[in-house]
Amino acid sequence: MTTQQPPSPLAGLRRAGVVAVLRAPTPEGALAAVAALVDGGVTGIEITYSTPDAPAVIAEVRTRHPEALVGAGTVLTPAQAAAAADAGSAFLVSPGTTPELAAAMLETGLPVLSGALTPSEVMTATALGVHAVKVFPASLGGPGYLRALRGPFPDVPLVPTGGVSAGNLGEWFGAGALAVGAGGELASSAHIAAGRWESLTVRARAFAAALAEARRDASGASGAGGTADPGAEAVR
């Protein structure tokens, strides 16, 4: 009798591929931005605590866009982690890692992405039991740095955030990203403040197209019988 394995806590993030990191000046702006991004094909949404009333926004996004995977970002305190979980957040993201915060985030039972940049920080985060490491700010090292981290940490799910664009998205996945977080290049705070919703939709379409191309490339590498890059499995 075959024992069915439980689904990975990161399955939703893997499917979404791209997570838009929203820092909106108002709750209304955040909700309009989410609608524009989902319309463009980006369904991974991170409502940061830089956005006023972030838990209320998360709850409303769940109601308006059941197809979206919405989580909380810039989680800095245990209270914020608990409030986001109560609002229905699908995952929690912190920019850095501390034992107290990691424990509080994990206590919610949600997938936890804890921020790290250096190898020592990655080791600290994984020792605390987080589900994935948010490599931040990934712009400092680029895809080459992510690939280097994969050497000593081949089994650690890595989610680079910062420096990700539609033009280089394939490079990030080729370097081994589980998913990517995109802020200014996808969900510009200035565009949100100015109400430039069509611009957000256009950018989302570009990211969605780049993700589809990266997945086709990964499937082709595997199907050809060659050795796929470490990121090929993650990008599917």
Side-chain angles (χ1 to χ4, degrees), residues 189-197:
S189 296
H191 287 187
I192 295 173
R196 297 178 61 183
W197 312 126

Side-chain angles (χ1 to χ4, degrees), residues 68-163:
L69 183 78
V70 57
T74 318
V75 176
L76 300 176
T77 68
Q80 289 177 337
D86 289 344
S89 180
F91 57 91
L92 301 175
V93 186
S94 63
T97 300
T98 66
E100 179 188 18
L101 181 58
M105 294 168 74
L106 289 166
E107 190 175 342
T108 66
L110 296 173
V112 172
L113 288 74
S114 191
L117 181 62
T118 68
S120 293
E121 291 169 349
V122 172
M123 291 171 65
T124 297
T126 54
L128 291 171
V130 304
H131 299 95
V133 170
K134 169 185 175 177
V135 180
F136 177 78
S139 57
L140 293 181
Y145 181 69
L146 189 75
R147 189 184 298 277
L149 282 179
R150 292 281 300 189
F153 307 114
D155 299 321
V156 176
L158 301 176
V159 181
T161 303

Side-chain angles (χ1 to χ4, degrees), residues 153-220:
F153 307 114
D155 299 321
V156 176
L158 301 176
V159 181
T161 303
V164 178
S165 68
N168 66 18
L169 186 144
E171 296 178 50
W172 289 105
F173 280 110
L178 170 84
V180 297
E185 289 285 346
L186 173 56
S188 164
S189 296
H191 287 187
I192 295 173
R196 297 178 61 183
W197 312 126
E198 180 57 31
S199 175
L200 267 65
T201 298
V202 169
R203 292 185 179 202
R205 288 174 181 153
F207 268 81
L211 177 63
E213 182 178 357
R215 286 174 166 160
R216 285 194 299 270
D217 289 346
S219 296

